[in-house]
Amino acid sequence: MSIIYNESNRIFHLQAKDTSYVLQVLERGYVAHLYWGKKVKTSNLSHLLQFKERAFSPNPYPYDLSLSLDTLPQEYPAYGNTDFRSPAYQIQLENGSTISDLRYKSHKILKGKPQLKGLPATYIESEDEAETLQLELVDTVTGLEVILSYTVYEQFNAITRSVLFMNKGNQPLKILRALSMSVDFSDANFDFMQLSGAWARERHIKRRPLVSGSQSVESRRGTSSHQQNPFIALLRRDTNEDYGEAYGFNLVYSGNFLAQAEVDQYDNTRVSIGINPFDFTWILGPGEEFQTPEVVLVYSDSGIGKMSRTYHKLYRTRLCRGQYRDRVRPILINNWEATYFDFNAEKIESIAKSAKELGIELFVLDDGWFGKRDRDNCSLGDWFVNRKKFPEGLEDIVKKVNDMGMQFGLWFEPEMISADSDLYRAHPDWCLHVPNRPCSEGRNQLVLDLSRKEVCDAIIKMVSDILSSAPITYVKWDMNRHLTEIGSASLPAEKQRETAHRYVLGLYRIMDEITRAFPHILFESCSGGGGRFDPGILYYMPQTWTSDNTDAVSRLYIQYGTSIVYPVSTMGAHVSAVPNHQVHRNTSLEMRGNVAMSGNFGYELDLTKLTEEEKGIVKKQVAYYKDIRHLVQFGEFYRLISPFEGNEAAWMFVSEDQTEALVAYFNILAQPNPPMKKLRLKGLNPAINYRLMDTDKIYGGDELMFIGLNIPELKGDFQSVVWRFKISD
Ligand code: DGJ
């Protein structure tokens, strides 16, 4: 049993694998937070709450000066009735007041985990995997009721939370803020970790000590964004990769978000995360409901690595879905960096033919195959094949590629519309816009208004028609600008600030319907690279194009940072040409291969231009990856050396049964007369022996972990070594 309830003191003890999360309903119906951390036996923790009169912390009950919500750790705090810290929610009444007061009404403990309506979320495959606590709170003045849901996964150190708002009163309520969770820690001895960046340098790790006041990351771009990922962690000051406590918070959402930690006057820390209240309101009419996205809370008692591995396994097995969830992913060739918009059927055939000769399994036709698109300034929305480039039609090129023995994949950017498109000419009001103001463009394009049902239906039809027209087995779903002039022609004035969230809901419906209708297709999401690398999208599409930056050195940082939360099986990684198109760096084909082979492997260059020697290397890489991909995509991932801390990076993959491992080491710049170093491995079985593949060298698992492997002397910049081990018989 993962949720223990003690009726006498109304304490709920949620027990995940090695985690306890304890909360209590107080006498007056306030829901207090008691503890979250390493598993404890006792539930009796009410003594942790200390009631004491404090200056400038007012009292909801004037005769009880020891009670102030300002100093009470709470599960879902309000604003305006004595708590001055950041509230989890706020509603406005018809009379203009923004005060509400939620108190406990009832609760339920359920086996399993109910689905969230219209939103992506982690799931279960059998009822025994999880238990869910639903706490029902009510504001008696307005009739607002909320259900705080907590799901505890039996086998993971993960708890998920979300909130359902219900208007059971008879006046409309305006939701100004509806975060997915809030939790109060009784100290502030933490560092704040975030994954930040920009286009071409996504998810770089930033870590700083918490200080008094608020520290936050957020998106106001309409999508989760390259700039900030919807993830934060609190780390004890001495926590590192393998030691110390880590608390992770990851929002299963792809739109504007806010994630913050606030240190109060007594050094308590309040963490909250959810839809960004900035430019958001939601009108909740009588009888209506509003569901917040889910947040996945992960606790680790053994460093950041264990936190990451919990996210990896949970997301790989209970967030990603579909036929490809447990299937090895094909090695692909994508024509984008090989041709950009400049291609025709013959060129595509010639690249596909070379790819086939090298053992590649899937050809992906990127941007430029539709409408009259020869540049990025037209045709988005006109999803029919460009007959100038493919006179025989799409079916013909798909057939030609299939006949070569390769699968065929296609690029789309369905959420967008070009002003120069038939679709725009037919429906000029289908893009996001506000009255009397021009629409800003990004990459010469406008954003379709996915808050409108008819727009979503049209997208579903256009994409489905193409996907049904030929044996397409892979889709790259791109999204190349952020949202501006966010307004919808179909919503009344008072609902305009719902548009950004309605866009995300529309997107989820589109993705849900299309991925369900084409279960045999592997979908890879993309947003100018990794601009929407979030768990919301991963629920529909099990892999994401990690970054438009394919430079091997840049990718060390990007892939390392991404792995803090997201499994390797979700990261697309390609070998591209040199000098690299994004940073103009030259790295060897071996280095590019070893970095890309640490993800879902592919190539993105003109294979017809390779020398014979290069073709030989590519052929070997392709064959090698086929042999190791089960380990890379489904093994446990251990980070060994962080590129953010120096000139090297290293990581490894270990099979679940610990009989196989793959280790990759990267040295960025050559050092003069370097020291002789060892690389200590992780995650192996100390009791068994491992053979270094293609040699007769045998090492004990203990030896590899406690002493390490000799790193050979590497000459020149951008060098890499890969070692592969198997249990020795
Ligand atoms: C951005 C993507 O990230 C690229 O890989 C490529 O598909 C281009 N868009 C095409 O426009």
Side-chain angles (χ1 to χ4, degrees), residues 430-717:
W430 271 16
C431 64
L432 290 176
H433 63 282
V434 294
N436 309 321
R437 296 196 190 274
C439 287
S440 309
E441 295 196 355
R443 208 197 187 203
N444 302 307
Q445 61 200 48
L446 303 165
V447 183
L448 281 167
D449 178 1
L450 304 196
S451 74
R452 296 175 70 159
K453 183 171 179 304
E454 67 276 33
V455 175
C456 297
D457 290 342
I459 293 176
I460 293 168
K461 175 153 188 348
M462 288 185 293
V463 174
S464 301
D465 284 351
I466 290 282
L467 295 183
S468 317
S469 72
I472 293 164
T473 56
Y474 165 104
V475 163
K476 179 174 174 188
W477 185 292
D478 207 345
M479 198 278 190
N480 281 302
R481 63 158 291 186
H482 292 145
L483 279 47
T484 56
E485 290 87 24
I486 302 175
S488 173
S490 71
L491 290 172
E494 68 279 11
K495 287 184 177 245
Q496 286 298 318
R497 283 159 68 100
E498 298 180 7
T499 311
H501 180 56
R502 286 182 183 273
Y503 178 95
V504 179
L505 295 179
L507 174 66
Y508 288 155
R509 178 168 82 83
I510 295 171
M511 287 189 165
D512 201 47
E513 292 202 13
I514 293 180
T515 52
R516 275 179 205 281
F518 299 93
H520 63 286
I521 293 183
L522 170 61
F523 286 85
E524 175 158 338
S525 78
C526 171
S527 174
R532 219 165 39 183
F533 207 132
D534 64 58
I537 300 289
L538 289 175
Y539 179 72
Y540 304 101
M541 308 196 165
Q543 57 187 61
T544 299
W545 179 224
T546 313
S547 177
D548 272 350
N549 188 344
T550 49
D551 168 58
V553 176
S554 306
R555 276 301 188 112
L556 293 176
Y557 299 87
I558 296 168
Q559 291 174 205
Y560 191 97
T562 304
S563 79
I564 294 292
V565 189
Y566 304 104
V568 173
S569 61
T570 63
M571 289 186 221
H574 301 169
V575 171
S576 61
V578 287
N580 174 268
H581 293 194
Q582 293 77 35
V583 299
H584 302 274
R585 190 176 355 240
N586 282 297
T587 54
S588 67
L589 194 48
E590 284 83 357
M591 170 83 175
R592 281 176 276 154
N594 287 338
V595 175
M597 278 196 258
S598 301
N600 291 328
F601 190 49
Y603 290 83
E604 190 159 334
L605 73 179
D606 191 345
L607 294 172
T608 64
K609 293 194 176 137
L610 294 184
T611 63
E612 284 311 307
E613 190 194 346
E614 286 170 331
K615 280 189 184 158
I617 298 174
V618 170
K619 212 170 190 170
K620 277 201 192 129
Q621 288 177 336
V622 168
Y624 189 68
Y625 189 72
K626 285 180 184 167
D627 222 25
I628 57 160
R629 64 180 150 187
H630 63 285
L631 201 50
V632 171
Q633 294 168 10
F634 306 124
E636 295 264 351
F637 185 67
Y638 291 86
R639 291 179 293 261
L640 305 178
I641 305 177
S642 168
F644 294 99
E645 285 165 18
N647 187 41
E648 305 157 289
W651 48 58
M652 65 184 287
F653 309 85
V654 182
S655 63
E656 216 156 349
D657 63 3
Q658 295 174 305
T659 59
E660 270 188 85
L662 182 82
V663 186
Y665 169 84
F666 307 94
N667 193 46
I668 301 173
L669 293 180
Q671 301 297 313
N673 191 18
M676 286 182 255
K677 288 197 196 165
K678 293 205 164 33
L679 181 65
R680 288 212 221 170
L681 307 191
K682 297 178 188 173
L684 301 173
N685 183 341
I688 64 177
N689 288 333
Y690 294 88
R691 192 161 62 80
L692 179 60
M693 299 292 286
D694 304 321
T695 73
D696 48 15
K697 285 191 197 144
I698 308 283
Y699 298 85
D702 53 354
E703 177 188 351
L704 290 170
M705 291 196 291
F706 311 147
I707 304 173
L709 271 175
N710 283 334
I711 300 175
E713 192 179 343
L714 299 168
K715 301 240 188 272
D717 295 341

Side-chain angles (χ1 to χ4, degrees), residues 121-148:
T122 57
Y123 58 88
I124 48 164
E125 287 199 329
S126 99
E127 290 228 315
D128 319 328
E129 292 180 4
E131 268 187 3
T132 298
L133 166 65
Q134 293 184 333
L135 276 180
E136 190 173 5
L137 315 182
V138 62
D139 175 41
T140 47
V141 174
T142 55
L144 171 70
E145 296 200 4
V146 309
I147 294 183
L148 306 184

Side-chain angles (χ1 to χ4, degrees), residues 316-375:
R316 199 161 51 67
T317 60
R318 294 294 179 269
L319 175 72
C320 294
R321 301 176 302 164
Q323 290 181 5
Y324 278 91
R325 187 188 77 179
D326 304 325
R327 251 207 240 160
V328 289
R329 312 288 163 76
I331 302 175
L332 64 82
I333 170 75
N334 176 305
N335 73 303
W336 178 242
E337 288 199 12
T339 63
Y340 295 103
F341 294 107
D342 183 17
F343 58 84
N344 55 22
E346 289 72 56
K347 181 69 199 170
I348 294 305
E349 270 180 72
S350 69
I351 297 178
K353 191 163 165 284
S354 318
K356 177 63 197 169
E357 283 162 12
L358 299 171
I360 292 172
E361 299 156 312
L362 163 70
F363 179 87
V364 179
L365 180 58
D366 210 282
D367 194 355
W369 60 267
F370 53 93
K372 54 181 173 76
R373 189 151 162 107
D374 292 324
R375 278 186 55 198

